Amino acid sequence: MDAELPRLECGRFRLGADRIQNILWRLNNGELDGVNPKIVVLLAGTNNVGDTVPAEGDEAKVADITKGLQTVLDAIRSKAPTPPSW
């Protein structure tokens, strides 16, 4: 896949074991600055699931992950407002 990236003129902004918090930090610290993507694909949230259940239960974890994903989407939209994928 990496060999195809230059031909496809696409970038990949990710690190292994990323959590939503890591993505937000990078977005807030310049990751998409100066980039004008035609499309954005976001794969996130699974590393936040983990194997522990908070005292508030699974629903609290789901709500937290959902809120984090929405925050990531809002950050991406603010930095790259024109992709047709919205």
Side-chain angles (χ1 to χ4, degrees):
M1 178 67 182
D2 287 342
E4 295 295 314
L5 292 179
R7 185 180 67 81
L8 298 174
E9 295 181 13
C10 65
R12 183 174 62 176
F13 302 95
R14 65 123 180 115
L15 297 172
D18 257 357
R19 296 171 58 89
I20 293 170
Q21 301 91 311
N22 305 119
I23 296 168
L24 283 171
W25 186 90
R26 289 198 320 274
L27 287 170
N28 290 326
N29 287 277
E31 176 129 291
L32 283 182
D33 292 356
V35 177
N36 188 20
K38 294 178 184 174
I39 190 167
V40 173
V41 176
L42 175 65
L43 302 173
T46 57
N47 291 331
N48 287 78
V49 173
D51 57 359
T52 59
V53 178
E56 301 84 17
D58 284 335
E59 289 185 24
K61 183 180 275 192
V62 170
D64 187 51
I65 292 169
T66 302
K67 182 178 177 184
L69 289 171
Q70 186 60 57
T71 304
V72 167
L73 288 173
D74 292 343
I76 291 171
R77 285 182 178 129
S78 74
K79 293 188 176 265
T82 58
S85 59
W86 303 129

